[in-house]
Amino acid sequence: MTENGASAEPGEPARGLVWQPEAAGQRLRLLSFNAQVGIHSSRLHHYVTNSWKHVLPYGGRMTNLERVARFIRDFDIVGVQELDGGSLRSRFVDLSNWLSDRADFPHTYTRINRDLGQIAKHSLALFSRVEPARVEMHSLPGPLPGRGAVEARYALANGEELVLFLLHLALSRRARRQQLDYVAERIADQPHAVVMGDLNCQQDSPEIRRLVARTGLMEPMACPATYPAWDPQRVFDHILLTPDLHVSDMRVYNVALSDHLPVGVEIQLPASERLAAGTAPA
C-alpha cells in the first residue's frame, strides 16, 4: 500500500499522528472511505465483469475486507459507505460489525439505507474509538428513498459538542442539494462540526458551496482526487470542518481496496474544547 506516494508493505497500517491528549489540544485521526461492499476495482470494465459481486457472494470479498480492517484500525473515527447489513451477497454477515471486530473499534453505529431483504442491505457505518454522547440516524430527502446519514455528537469538556455527520449523497445534483440543505439546518448553529463521506460531487460544486455559505464550515481544502481509484480524476470523498478544528494533516491514501480512495485528516482540538472525560479512546 502507499499513501501520497510513500512506500509501505502490503497490509501495513497507515502511518501518521495518533491520538495524543496533549495540553495544547487533543488530536484525532478521521477517515472517510467508500468500500464498495468489499469489491476491489482496478479497471473501468470491472463495473461490468464484477457486477455479479454486488448481488452474489464470492470468496475474495472477506479477504479484501480484512485488508480494509487492517488499514482503518490506525484511525480514531472512521466513516465507511457502501457496506451490507447482512444479505445473500455477504453470506448474511453484517459487514459493519464484522469490520469493527477486525479493526478493534469499541463503538459502531450502522444505518441501513436501502433494505432489499435477502438480496442486499445497503448500509453505511461509523466506527469510533471515542464514545459519542448521542447518535441519531436520519433519512435524507430526495426523489428516491434510501439515502441516509449518521449524526454523532461528542461531548466536550467546556459543555459544548462536536457534531459529526456521515453521508453518502445521491447521484443527482437536485437531490444532493436537498440533502445538504437538510444537513445545513442541523449544523448551522454548531461551532464545532464535521461533515464527511462520499458526496458524489466535487469541492467547487454549487451544492457544496451552498452548504459552506449556510454553515460555519470552511471551504473544502484542496486534496488529490479520490475517484476512480485506478485513475483518480474527481474529488468525490470529502471531510469538511469548522475553523476551530485545526488540521495538522490531510491526505488521500493510494490503497487498492475499492473503486474509491479513502481520504483522511488529522485534527487538533483547542485545549478548551477537549473531549469530556470518559470519552477519550482507550
Side-chain angles (χ1 to χ4, degrees):
M1 295 181 182
T2 63
E3 52 182 86
N4 279 8
S7 296
E9 293 299 321
E12 180 182 345
R15 294 187 298 272
L17 298 175
V18 294
W19 175 270
Q20 299 178 24
E22 300 170 339
Q26 295 172 328
R27 290 175 179 169
L28 281 171
R29 299 193 72 200
L30 312 180
L31 184 81
S32 178
F33 181 39
N34 183 323
Q36 199 190 202
V37 207
I39 302 170
H40 162 54
S41 299
S42 58
R43 295 290 186 275
L44 182 62
H45 71 262
H46 286 169
Y47 284 119
V48 176
T49 58
N50 288 341
S51 60
W52 63 274
K53 297 177 181 179
H54 287 271
V55 294
L56 295 174
Y58 83 103
R61 188 186 312 277
M62 307 314 283
T63 300
N64 193 48
L65 287 173
E66 285 279 8
R67 298 174 63 202
V68 173
R70 290 195 297 269
F71 175 73
I72 69 175
R73 67 161 55 108
D74 203 39
F75 295 85
D76 297 305
I77 301 174
V78 177
V80 181
Q81 306 89 49
E82 290 197 22
L83 289 174
D84 190 273
S87 66
L88 175 64
R89 62 181 177 176
S90 65
R91 292 192 170 94
F92 301 100
V93 173
D94 185 327
L95 298 183
S96 299
N97 290 333
W98 189 92
L99 268 180
S100 67
D101 288 342
R102 296 305 191 280
D104 298 319
F105 279 95
H107 309 289
T108 299
Y109 307 93
T110 305
R111 188 188 192 281
I112 295 177
N113 282 342
R114 188 171 291 117
D115 191 344
L116 302 180
Q118 294 190 359
I119 298 175
K121 295 182 184 294
H122 304 283
S123 65
L124 70 165
L126 182 71
F127 305 125
S128 184
R129 305 202 184 282
V130 188
E131 183 176 9
R134 180 160 58 94
V135 175
E136 186 175 350
M137 304 296 172
H138 297 270
S139 295
L140 296 177
L144 295 176
R147 297 286 179 175
V150 179
E151 176 189 1
R153 292 179 175 251
Y154 295 90
L156 299 176
N158 63 0
E160 297 178 340
E161 292 180 315
L162 170 64
V163 182
L164 183 148
F165 261 89
L166 172 63
L167 306 170
H168 187 189
L169 297 185
L171 298 178
S172 78
R173 173 168 291 175
R174 179 180 179 185
R176 290 195 301 269
R177 186 180 66 182
Q178 293 175 336
Q179 290 160 5
L180 289 179
D181 281 350
Y182 177 91
V183 174
E185 291 177 3
R186 300 284 302 184
I187 66 170
D189 299 322
Q190 299 296 328
H192 325 294
V194 178
V195 174
M196 68 181 190
D198 177 0
L199 304 189
N200 270 315
C201 56
Q202 303 213 91
Q203 63 265 45
D204 59 350
S205 66
E207 53 269 41
I208 288 186
R209 292 202 303 267
R210 179 181 171 93
L211 173 70
V212 168
R214 295 188 59 191
T215 66
L217 294 170
M218 294 186 294
E219 291 281 347
M221 289 169 284
C223 70
T226 61
Y227 179 85
W230 58 89
D231 183 24
Q233 300 291 326
R234 299 179 181 180
V235 184
F236 280 174
D237 304 87
H238 303 272
I239 302 179
L240 307 178
L241 308 160
T242 47
D244 68 306
L245 304 175
H246 305 294
V247 177
S248 56
D249 186 34
M250 182 173 190
R251 67 183 70 189
V252 169
Y253 293 88
N254 184 24
V255 292
L257 299 170
S258 173
D259 62 338
H260 285 245
L261 298 177
V263 59
V265 298
E266 293 163 354
I267 63 173
Q268 186 169 2
L269 300 176
S272 62
E273 298 167 6
R274 296 164 63 82
L275 292 173
T279 62

